[in-house]
């Protein structure tokens, strides 16, 4: 029997941006199922409540049968095992991302060699899009709509 290709795309998604959306749309053909999973365990305190972040992503992919949305508060690699995922999906923007991601992926592999980390390079024009900058613009009352998936109004969730 051919094993189903299940990927976990973990992140804070605080909030979910066009950069995240781009990684998902390019991964849809690669996997049978993608679980977008919000790690609620991170030391980072979030700007948007977990429920709001989940609801935005659920709304975006409500018609996409291959995508599930979940949250977890244990190790990402343990969450992969729990949901039967054999791939971990991450995006790479910069060389700083690479150094950080390399260490995590190698440690994860030491903990569970059944899970392969797959990296997609960012689409060039989306390299500068990141949740931290979006939050900073919001704090100063700026318009972030161009950095969010189209049709997403943060006040609606
Ligand atoms: P984390 O706190 O785990 O880094 P993020 O929500 O910031 O969570 O990011 C989740 C994933 O999405 C990471 O793999 C990150 O590299 C990727 N990502 C974020 N922004 C972009 C972007 N503009 N282009 C490509 N990948 C991105």
């Amino acid at each position: 029997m051919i094993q189903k290709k299940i990927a976990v795309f973990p992140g804070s998604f605080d909030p979910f941006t066009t950069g995240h959306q781009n990684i998902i749309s390019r991964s849809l053909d690669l996997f049978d199922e993608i679980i977008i999973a919000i790690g609620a365990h991170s030391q980072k305190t979030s700007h948007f409540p977990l429920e709001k972040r989940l609801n935005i992503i659920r709304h975006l992919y409500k018609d996409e049968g291959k995508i599930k949305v979940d949250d977890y508060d244990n190790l990402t690699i343990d969450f992969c095992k729990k949901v039967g995922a054999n791939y971990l999906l991450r995006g790479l923007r910069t060389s700083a991302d690479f150094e950080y991601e390399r260490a995590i992926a190698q440690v994860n592999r030491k903990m569970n060699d059944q899970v392969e980390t797959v990296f997609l390079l960012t689409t060039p024009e989306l390299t500068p899009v990141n949740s931290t900058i979006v939050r900073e613009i919001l704090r100063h009352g700026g318009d972030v709509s161009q950095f969010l998936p189209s049709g997403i109004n943060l006040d609606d969730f």
Side-chain angles (χ1 to χ4, degrees), residues 10-16 20 37-39 42 44 53 90 131 135:
S12 320
F13 308 116
D14 190 24
F16 195 87
H20 298 129
I38 301 184
S42 144
K44 290 188 202 166
R53 287 180 279 154
R90 296 287 286 174
S131 302
R135 292 195 300 273

Side-chain angles (χ1 to χ4, degrees), residues 9-20 22-23 26 42 44 72 89-93 97 100-101 119-123 126-132 135:
F9 182 41
S12 320
F13 308 116
D14 190 24
F16 195 87
T17 66
T18 49
H20 298 129
N22 179 263
I23 295 291
R26 289 161 56 207
S42 144
K44 290 188 202 166
Y72 64 99
L89 173 63
R90 296 287 286 174
L92 286 181
R93 289 162 293 193
D97 270 359
Y100 177 73
E101 296 293 340
F119 297 107
L120 288 192
L121 281 180
T122 183
T123 299
L126 295 175
T127 303
V129 178
N130 74 63
S131 302
T132 309
R135 292 195 300 273

Side-chain angles (χ1 to χ4, degrees), residues 21-32:
Q21 186 183 35
N22 179 263
I23 295 291
I24 290 292
S25 53
R26 289 161 56 207
S27 307
L28 277 171
D29 284 345
L30 302 177
F31 302 106
D32 299 308

Side-chain angles (χ1 to χ4, degrees), residues 6-76:
I6 304 177
V8 165
F9 182 41
S12 320
F13 308 116
D14 190 24
F16 195 87
T17 66
T18 49
H20 298 129
Q21 186 183 35
N22 179 263
I23 295 291
I24 290 292
S25 53
R26 289 161 56 207
S27 307
L28 277 171
D29 284 345
L30 302 177
F31 302 106
D32 299 308
E33 184 178 315
I34 300 174
I35 304 167
I36 304 174
I38 301 184
H41 62 295
S42 144
Q43 305 100 325
K44 290 188 202 166
T45 45
S46 70
H47 179 87
F48 294 103
L50 176 63
E51 277 309 313
K52 181 164 177 143
R53 287 180 279 154
L54 287 167
N55 287 340
I56 291 171
I57 307 172
R58 286 195 177 118
H59 172 79
L60 271 171
Y61 295 109
K62 60 182 184 315
D63 300 323
E64 181 48 72
K66 277 187 172 185
I67 293 186
K68 288 187 182 161
V69 185
D70 206 347
D71 66 279
Y72 64 99
D73 62 5
N74 51 346
L75 285 174
T76 306

